[in-house]
Amino acid sequence: MTEEKETQDANPSRRSFIKSGALAAAGFMIVPRFVLGGTGYTAPSDMLNVAGVGAGGKGQSDIANFAKSGKANIAFLCDVDDRRAAASRAAFPKAKYYKDWREMYDKEHKHFDAVSVSTPDHNHAIITYHAMQLGKHVYVQKPLTHDIWEARLLTEAAKKYKVVTQMGNQGASNDGTRLMSEWYDADLVGDVHTVYCWTNRPVWPQGIKWPDPQPNIPKELDWDLWLGTAPKKDYVDKLVPFNWRGWWDYGTGALGDMGCHLVEAPFRVLGIQYAKDVQASVGSVYVDEFKQGHFPESCPPSSHITLTFPKTNKTKGDVTLHWMDGGIQPERPIELGASEKWGGEEGNGTLFIGTKGKMYASTYSDAATLLPKERTASANAPQKWARVPGGANGHYAQWVEGCLAGYGKTELSSSFDKAGPLTEALLMANLAVRGHELKGGSIKLNWDNQAMKVTNFEDVNQYIKRNYRAGFELKA
């Protein structure tokens, strides 16, 4: 919607009528505030009323970025931990505050248009799905969901309820992913058959024993609400607010934390979606000489996962995608000099290997580069894809504008039709990690995408859809 400016009228009699007759006319006519509000005023109908579930950490920055768009009113804040919510509450003092999102939805659903979800992974789907059922637009932090079944559910729900959606992998709005698409479409690297994605995550403890319970829950934290869909457990230190990422009940490991940032570009560039098989090797933890630790509740300290994606209309055959975490990286391309740096943030990267060349990008698809690097400056590929104003930072305003325009009116960088399949692929990779633990070694898992199940190792299918705790059930 466009901003409306103050109407300038040279007719003094009309100006006098508006001024002297406003009160008398109030019974049958309302003068819009934009008429009286002056240049720069945004009418209430042009503002998106947002409820933020998860107001600290990444939620805090998400909420602030929506507000920076100039078209989002932060109307409600919700967080299970008063300590984490403090900064957002100070920044938006007019926003009404809740601890329980269910209570906020029940009491306030008529007073907001959209919901931002920035909680631990295990509660993404239930909070998002109930918002969609209420007809609310949704912005959800990555990964979209904790389980594969949930990702498929939300993807279909976006179409069913006709709401505007966006996942918080802001690199999907960067120029780099579009630039690499244009290079690929211009045949500058030939047919890509292999992709490597890697990260220095986890930067939190993994592959460890579950901590001993602690008797004193911080008074500001509602521990039961934080657990949400997860099994009931006693409170432990250092799980909240960050280290939950390394525990299967709540997080999705390094893949969930960084995969949506690093694997988005291969999805866009190559048109891949659902993988057909996956295998994994994982790092071991030894607690004594030749005594391997067994910590099934915790994600492993490192992994190398190989996914196979079927041929697309942009590739000549299958695509093999290697995921590496825990600091493991692929062999340096021969096009890089012995002392030459990758570029961008070296701890994270994506490398495309084609029949005519290679290209690389860092976190959020930053530092997009053809290899050898000198090819980048002379690359001549026509621009095919519109850029998002502000790039990664514009990811937030893009969603706000999309919500104001309405369902189906604008294309978003990471709407659920894109984010859902991406999330499913990453969670399928985690099935291989968990299968490694169950099997005591690596096997290749064959995936039936339509049935949404592994066909050759039934034990791992228990992780496609988990059981929800009473009071936090998610039902389609």
Side-chain angles (χ1 to χ4, degrees):
M1 296 182 180
T2 58
E3 176 186 305
E4 301 201 48
K5 297 184 178 181
E6 181 180 20
T7 301
Q8 299 293 329
D9 194 328
N11 187 328
S13 63
R14 175 170 170 78
R15 289 201 305 270
S16 299
F17 170 78
I18 292 174
K19 183 177 180 180
S20 63
L23 290 175
F28 61 90
M29 171 183 166
I30 298 175
V31 179
R33 278 195 61 196
F34 70 80
V35 174
L36 306 175
T39 302
Y41 175 75
T42 302
S45 59
D46 289 342
M47 294 292 286
L48 184 75
N49 290 310
V50 178
V53 183
K58 190 58 183 171
Q60 178 183 341
S61 63
D62 287 344
I63 291 163
N65 276 298
F66 299 141
K68 284 178 184 177
S69 72
K71 294 187 178 182
N73 170 47
I74 308 305
F76 298 94
L77 295 171
C78 181
D79 203 294
V80 300
D81 191 337
D82 295 341
R83 299 168 301 179
R84 300 289 287 171
S88 290
R89 293 181 72 182
F92 303 100
K94 293 182 180 179
K96 191 172 181 179
Y97 179 66
Y98 285 86
K99 273 202 167 184
D100 191 334
W101 61 270
R102 298 169 301 179
E103 181 184 6
M104 183 179 72
Y105 283 11
D106 184 54
K107 292 182 178 179
E108 309 289 358
H109 64 273
K110 294 181 180 180
H111 304 127
F112 59 84
D113 311 305
V115 178
S116 168
V117 180
S118 186
T119 67
D121 302 349
H122 67 292
N123 286 324
H124 281 186
I126 189 170
I127 298 169
T128 303
Y129 188 65
H130 283 286
M132 296 167 86
Q133 286 183 308
L134 291 170
K136 308 304 179 184
H137 308 301
V138 285
Y139 183 103
V140 186
Q141 260 308 318
K142 48 76 192 170
L144 185 61
T145 62
H146 184 275
D147 299 344
I148 294 173
W149 175 81
E150 294 174 335
R152 188 74 59 92
L153 175 70
L154 295 192
T155 302
E156 293 172 352
K159 300 173 186 175
K160 177 180 179 180
Y161 295 110
K162 300 187 184 306
V163 294
V164 177
T165 60
Q166 184 95 297
M167 183 169 70
N169 56 328
Q170 59 268 38
S173 288
N174 249 347
D175 291 357
T177 187
R178 290 157 178 77
L179 183 59
M180 289 189 290
S181 292
E182 290 158 358
W183 289 343
Y184 185 67
D185 292 348
D187 201 33
L188 298 186
V189 296
D191 178 56
V192 168
H193 49 80
T194 305
V195 178
Y196 286 89
C197 300
W198 64 94
T199 182
N200 57 5
R201 269 64 163 182
V203 291
W204 52 84
Q206 282 191 188
I208 59 174
K209 179 180 177 292
W210 180 253
D212 293 331
Q214 299 297 318
N216 298 317
I217 302 173
K219 66 181 185 302
E220 301 90 348
L221 172 67
D222 190 318
W223 173 243
D224 187 69
L225 279 177
W226 187 93
L227 287 172
T229 63
K232 182 71 173 178
K233 285 187 178 180
D234 291 333
Y235 174 77
V236 296
D237 279 339
K238 295 186 177 180
L239 189 69
V240 179
F242 191 76
N243 291 347
W244 54 264
R245 290 164 171 82
W247 301 99
W248 290 121
D249 276 346
Y250 321 109
T252 47
L255 262 165
D257 190 65
M258 289 302 295
C260 292
H261 292 310
L262 297 167
V263 184
E264 185 274 334
F267 265 61
R268 177 186 293 270
V269 172
L270 305 177
I272 58 177
Q273 282 203 329
Y274 298 102
K276 65 180 183 179
D277 59 57
V278 61
Q279 55 188 300
S281 59
V282 303
S284 301
V285 177
Y286 283 82
V287 295
D288 207 341
E289 293 93 340
F290 295 97
K291 184 178 180 181
Q292 187 171 345
H294 179 67
F295 307 117
E297 294 175 302
S298 179
C299 309
S302 59
S303 66
H304 176 193
I305 301 161
T306 306
L307 293 137
T308 306
F309 292 90
K311 177 184 179 301
T312 74
N313 61 2
K314 300 187 72 172
T315 68
K316 293 182 179 179
D318 290 354
V319 176
T320 302
L321 189 146
H322 296 270
W323 169 268
M324 299 172 169
D325 59 45
I328 302 171
Q329 294 189 5
E331 180 182 3
R332 289 170 55 84
I334 59 173
E335 293 86 353
L336 278 179
S339 301
E340 192 174 14
K341 292 185 176 181
W342 286 95
E345 187 179 336
E346 290 187 81
N348 305 289
T350 302
L351 175 67
F352 296 79
I353 300 177
T355 54
K356 294 182 180 180
K358 300 169 186 173
M359 58 185 180
Y360 158 85
S362 182
T363 316
Y364 307 149
S365 295
D366 286 333
T369 307
L370 287 165
L371 297 177
K373 289 184 177 181
E374 54 266 25
R375 291 186 65 203
T376 306
S378 60
N380 185 20
Q383 181 173 326
K384 296 176 60 177
W385 308 106
R387 300 323 193 230
V388 177
N393 289 331
H395 197 64
Y396 307 92
Q398 186 195 58
W399 176 69
V400 171
E401 294 281 3
C403 294
L404 290 170
Y407 176 76
K409 299 295 179 60
T410 58
E411 182 177 356
L412 275 71
S413 299
S414 196
S415 50
F416 288 3
D417 59 313
K418 304 179 184 75
L422 171 59
T423 299
E424 283 193 39
L426 300 173
L427 297 178
M428 180 183 161
N430 267 342
L431 288 184
V433 174
R434 305 201 75 174
H436 193 284
E437 175 73 31
L438 292 172
K439 195 73 175 178
S442 177
I443 65 169
K444 180 185 286 188
L445 303 181
N446 295 320
W447 179 248
D448 183 334
N449 184 60
Q450 186 171 355
M452 221 174 358
K453 64 180 293 186
V454 171
T455 59
N456 62 321
F457 185 32
E458 181 59 34
D459 288 357
V460 81
N461 286 324
Q462 65 183 295
Y463 302 122
I464 293 169
K465 180 185 178 184
R466 65 205 150 97
N467 294 319
Y468 299 96
R469 189 161 63 101
F472 294 90
E473 297 91 349
L474 177 58
K475 298 177 181 178

